[in-house]
Amino acid sequence: MVYKAVEGTGPLVVSMPHAGALTPEEVAERMTDAGRAAADTDWHVNRLYEFLDELEVPHIRSIYSRYVCDLNRPPDGSPLYDGQGASELVPTRTFDGAAIYQDDCEPGEDEIRSRWRDYWQPYHLALANLMLQAKDRYGVVVLLEAHTTRSQIPGLFDGTLPDFNLGTRDGASCAPDLRDRVVAAVQQAEGYSHAVDHPFKGGFITRSYGRPDEGTHALQLELAQRTYMQESPPWTYSNKGGGLVRPHLRRIVETMRDWAEAQAQG
């Protein structure tokens, strides 16, 4: 199994496509040290959202590293942002620009297609199924893309990232009222900084699944890892930091769930 999915109740679904850190041995042996280190993993994100089980929110998370196959990238590798290069389905460089594979060991076209088939497609079929179940039952579905990232990645953005970063494709991936309510929930996190649609507007999943005119809404939340962990190897989780930030994440999730339930009730 390349993902773990949990069925629940309600019209909210949470996706964690970069939670996984495993790499098959036959792939790892061709990687560089930087590739095996998997620095761009959304470390401990499933731990931050443990409360989803208590709330009975349907959710899905990856098991394998995004370096094996990036589940939040388009299959054709088209750029996510204007002015940027291709968004690789099977990454060959880390966010810091280091080579992921040893010389002459990068995957070819056939291997990339097989990874799409074996990793990308099963995750998206399972995610689509969770969302379809919710949409059929409630008439509306809201998707939260739960991500975390290092606070400083010069290859992706300038300076230091705010703590909470909401992406809605400039408001196109969800209803304006939902966006406003989630922003208000983020603003209640006293002592934390936040940004909306800059520098992150949402990845492939948010952009593809967010179709508000069809009753399908999607938002991405990028949490700066400095809020809950050590941002360098061995990527140690902070019980204090995690304990402080988790209630804010829960409020955001509950805000999204409550909005969706209100829509379902008409």
Side-chain angles (χ1 to χ4, degrees):
M1 185 65 68
V2 299
Y3 62 85
K4 180 178 180 181
V6 177
E7 295 186 0
T9 60
L12 173 66
V13 176
V14 177
S15 165
M16 293 174 270
H18 295 153
L22 292 180
T23 301
E25 183 177 352
E26 64 272 17
V27 175
E29 64 186 10
R30 295 156 50 199
M31 286 181 164
T32 61
D33 290 341
R36 286 187 287 268
D40 299 321
T41 301
D42 290 9
W43 299 105
H44 311 293
V45 64
N46 54 310
R47 186 170 181 178
L48 289 173
Y49 287 87
E50 285 177 337
F51 57 81
L52 294 176
D53 289 327
E54 179 185 344
L55 297 177
E56 297 184 346
V57 172
H59 54 282
I60 181 172
R61 62 178 174 87
S62 64
I63 293 176
Y64 286 87
S65 170
R66 67 188 301 169
Y67 290 171
V68 177
C69 185
D70 195 326
L71 308 177
N72 198 29
R73 295 293 183 267
D76 63 1
S78 56
L80 286 175
Y81 295 96
D82 293 338
Q84 291 189 359
S87 299
E88 294 179 305
L89 183 69
V90 176
T92 56
R93 295 274 171 180
T94 71
F95 289 155
D96 293 322
I100 291 175
Y101 291 90
Q102 301 170 32
D103 292 344
D104 301 321
C105 290
E106 291 185 0
E109 292 185 7
D110 289 345
E111 184 175 359
I112 291 172
R113 280 194 294 269
S114 69
R115 293 199 200 177
W116 169 81
R117 181 194 64 223
D118 295 340
Y119 297 94
W120 194 97
Q121 192 173 43
Y123 186 91
H124 281 265
L125 288 173
L127 172 58
N129 185 57
L130 288 178
M131 296 184 66
L132 182 61
Q133 290 177 355
K135 181 75 177 300
D136 286 347
R137 190 174 302 151
Y138 300 97
V140 63
V141 60
V142 173
L143 172 66
L144 172 61
E145 271 288 292
H147 294 262
T148 74
T149 183
R150 284 175 287 149
S151 303
Q152 294 182 338
I153 307 179
L156 289 187
F157 50 82
D158 296 329
T160 300
L161 196 69
D163 299 318
F164 289 86
N165 301 269
L166 185 67
T168 68
R169 200 182 178 190
D170 290 325
S173 67
C174 65
D177 183 51
L178 173 59
R179 183 175 186 258
D180 291 345
R181 294 195 184 197
V182 176
V183 170
V186 172
Q187 290 173 333
Q188 292 180 47
E190 294 185 7
Y192 295 90
S193 56
H194 71 277
V196 181
D197 286 315
H198 180 78
F200 298 108
K201 300 180 185 295
F204 173 79
I205 293 177
T206 298
R207 298 170 187 228
S208 300
Y209 288 77
R211 299 184 296 273
D213 291 344
E214 301 176 15
T216 302
H217 308 263
L219 301 90
Q220 176 175 299
L221 180 60
E222 285 273 5
L223 178 68
Q225 292 175 347
R226 68 169 179 272
T227 61
Y228 71 93
M229 62 170 278
Q230 175 184 318
E231 291 190 330
S232 58
W235 320 109
T236 305
Y237 181 84
S238 167
N239 288 319
K240 179 180 179 180
L244 290 172
V245 78
R246 191 180 293 114
H248 300 304
L249 295 174
R250 179 165 180 152
R251 181 176 60 252
I252 292 167
V253 166
E254 290 177 338
T255 296
M256 297 177 70
R257 179 200 61 188
D258 293 348
W259 182 90
E261 290 179 347
Q263 300 301 305
Q265 293 170 5

